[in-house]
Amino acid sequence: MVTRKEKRNREKEANYFFEFLKIQKHFFKDLMNNLKKVADHRHQSYITYGPEVLLFTMMLKNMTA
């Protein structure tokens, strides 16, 4: 049985972003490649971030909300 104190200590040590990336690479191997293939209809002079960065950021935001 894990006590509350032990559970809090384990949660402090956990790197949730790293864990998410492991899951993403295991179950969704082609996710980033598929996001790169999304058509970007913005004017090229306005583009700072590619569509894969914008879409992945939005996915992360929606998963953590």
Side-chain angles (χ1 to χ4, degrees):
M1 192 80 168
V2 178
T3 64
R4 290 181 185 177
K5 185 176 182 178
E6 291 172 346
K7 186 177 178 183
R8 283 193 303 267
N9 288 335
R10 288 182 186 176
E11 287 177 354
K12 286 180 186 177
E13 296 170 1
N15 185 346
Y16 292 109
F17 186 72
F18 178 72
E19 295 297 323
F20 171 75
L21 288 179
K22 284 189 347 186
I23 293 168
Q24 184 252 326
K25 288 180 182 179
H26 182 77
F27 292 106
F28 307 103
K29 294 177 179 111
D30 297 330
L31 177 66
M32 293 308 285
N33 290 331
N34 290 338
L35 292 178
K36 287 180 184 179
K37 294 177 186 176
V38 173
D40 192 357
H41 299 289
R42 298 177 291 167
H43 193 275
Q44 293 299 312
S45 65
Y46 297 121
I47 295 177
T48 303
Y49 301 105
E52 71 277 3
V53 174
L54 296 175
L55 294 171
F56 191 67
T57 304
M58 292 304 294
M59 289 171 56
L60 286 175
K61 179 195 81 73
N62 290 330
M63 286 189 289
T64 59

